């Protein structure tokens, strides 16, 4: 018997997050086996997301096969994105993306522990680069520079934003929040206004570079979230920054 389970991949489009379907296909021996597997999947992922493509037919399976398949469909599967669980007799293979090497090892280890020694598990999981890490790597702790006290970008600031726009283009369908920050010089009200205006200027710049306008949100937090000591010039410079955050 061959069972294929296409695991979900989260997709973010504009301001709406939708979940990809979980498609289950293959052949099972009887209606009861099919019903039990579908019930297990629906309890894990939600009934609306499970697409039933299972057939009923004459199949030969190892002893207690249905019980072992039930064990495979556990909470850890929800950590796998854009992948597939394949059970062919007593051969199990799992592929897809996970967030860390720790997750990769744990998921495969838990699967192996739930089966008897006659089963072979092929761990095809891979550690995916997170969407946030793409933005963080592009910014590389650099400060996007503006003219003093203004929301006008300097040439150096534009150069950094050219690279940020290129990184954002790789994150198709992902919404990014641009957050402006200032140091504590001057009134809080004026800094809030300046940080908002600078975030808006960044949005306008990356939109002009091809980023969909609806995929960029902006906010200005003024001096409220410093990352360095405002009592030093170096600290003030670090606090005058633009933050890029993937919105889940």
């Amino acid at each position: 018997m061959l069972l294929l389970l296409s695991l979900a991949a989260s997709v973010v489009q504009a301001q709406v997050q939708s979940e990809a379907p979980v498609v289950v296909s293959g052949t099972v021996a009887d209606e009861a086996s099919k019903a039990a597997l579908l019930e297990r999947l629906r309890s894990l992922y939600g009934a609306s997301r499970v697409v039933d493509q299972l057939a009923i037919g004459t199949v030969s399976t190892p002893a207690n096969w249905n019980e072992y398949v039930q064990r495979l469909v556990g909470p850890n599967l929800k950590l796998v994105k854009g992948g597939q669980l394949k059970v062919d007799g007593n051969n199990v293979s799992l592929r897809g993306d996970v967030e860390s090497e720790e997750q990769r090892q744990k998921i495969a280890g838990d699967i192996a522990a739930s089966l008897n020694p006659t089963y072979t598990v092929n761990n095809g999981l891979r550690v995916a680069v997170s969407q946030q890490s793409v933005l963080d790597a592009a910014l590389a702790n650099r400060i996007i520079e503006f003219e003093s006290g203004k929301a006008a970008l300097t040439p150096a600031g534009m150069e950094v934003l050219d690279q940020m726009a290129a990184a954002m283009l790789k994150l198709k369908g992902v919404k990014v929040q641009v957050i402006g920050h200032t140091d504590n010089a001057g009134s809080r009200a004026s800094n809030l206004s300046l940080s908002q205006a600078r975030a808006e200027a960044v949005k306008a710049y990356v939109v002009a570079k091809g980023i969909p306008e609806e995929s960029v949100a902006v906010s200005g937090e003024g001096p409220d979230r410093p990352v360095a000591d405002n009592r030093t010039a170096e600290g003030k410079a670090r606090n005058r920054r633009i933050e890029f955050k993937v919105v889940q």
Side-chain angles (χ1 to χ4, degrees):
M1 174 191 167
L2 176 65
L3 172 70
L4 291 176
L5 177 62
S6 295
L7 303 170
S10 296
V11 180
V12 182
Q13 297 180 336
Q15 297 183 1
V16 180
Q17 177 171 312
S18 61
E19 296 285 357
V22 178
V23 181
V24 56
S25 61
T27 305
V28 293
D30 50 50
E31 190 65 43
S33 299
K34 176 178 177 177
L37 178 57
L38 289 174
E39 180 181 359
R40 180 78 166 175
L41 288 167
R42 287 165 179 160
S43 67
L44 183 64
Y45 287 99
S48 64
R49 292 183 58 197
V50 177
V51 178
D52 171 20
Q53 295 183 358
L54 284 171
I56 297 174
T58 302
V59 293
S60 176
T61 61
N64 301 316
W65 191 90
N66 288 331
E67 177 186 343
Y68 285 118
V69 169
Q70 290 283 322
R71 294 181 184 180
L72 291 173
V73 182
N76 278 348
L77 282 187
K78 295 187 73 175
L79 301 175
V80 181
K81 305 300 181 183
Q84 184 182 80
L85 171 65
K86 179 180 179 181
V87 188
D88 188 359
N90 54 9
N91 293 310
V92 178
S93 62
L94 181 62
R95 61 181 177 84
D97 294 336
V98 293
E99 293 183 355
S100 66
E101 178 62 25
E102 182 181 4
Q103 275 190 7
R104 194 184 83 85
Q105 296 290 347
K106 177 174 173 50
I107 292 170
D110 287 351
I111 284 177
S114 72
L115 303 171
N116 70 38
T118 67
Y119 281 79
T120 301
V121 178
N122 175 27
N123 180 6
L125 298 174
R126 64 179 185 179
V127 179
V129 176
S130 74
Q131 295 164 333
Q132 184 63 52
S133 68
V134 172
L135 296 181
D136 293 343
L139 188 57
N141 293 320
R142 293 176 294 177
I143 301 297
I144 296 170
E145 296 180 359
F146 294 84
E147 294 181 12
S148 181
K150 300 179 181 179
L153 288 157
T154 66
M158 294 178 190
E159 184 178 347
V160 176
L161 284 183
D162 288 339
Q163 297 169 41
M164 293 306 301
M168 293 169 72
L169 285 170
K170 297 177 183 178
L171 306 180
K172 298 183 184 299
V174 173
K175 187 171 182 178
V176 175
Q177 185 177 23
V178 175
I179 308 169
H181 302 272
T182 67
D183 59 30
N184 66 349
S187 71
R188 180 175 181 274
S190 62
N191 280 322
L192 284 171
S193 178
L194 179 61
S195 64
Q196 180 73 26
R198 285 180 169 175
E200 294 282 1
V202 168
K203 175 178 179 176
Y205 190 91
V206 298
V207 167
K209 294 293 181 178
I211 304 301
E213 183 175 4
E214 67 274 12
S215 71
V216 184
V218 297
S219 66
E221 301 205 5
D224 294 346
R225 287 176 50 200
V227 293
D229 191 344
N230 273 311
R231 292 174 296 181
T232 68
E234 180 183 358
K236 286 180 179 291
R238 288 181 59 196
N239 289 332
R240 296 190 296 268
R241 69 196 190 280
I242 293 290
E243 181 182 1
F244 295 81
K245 183 178 180 181
V246 171
V247 181
Q248 299 295 342

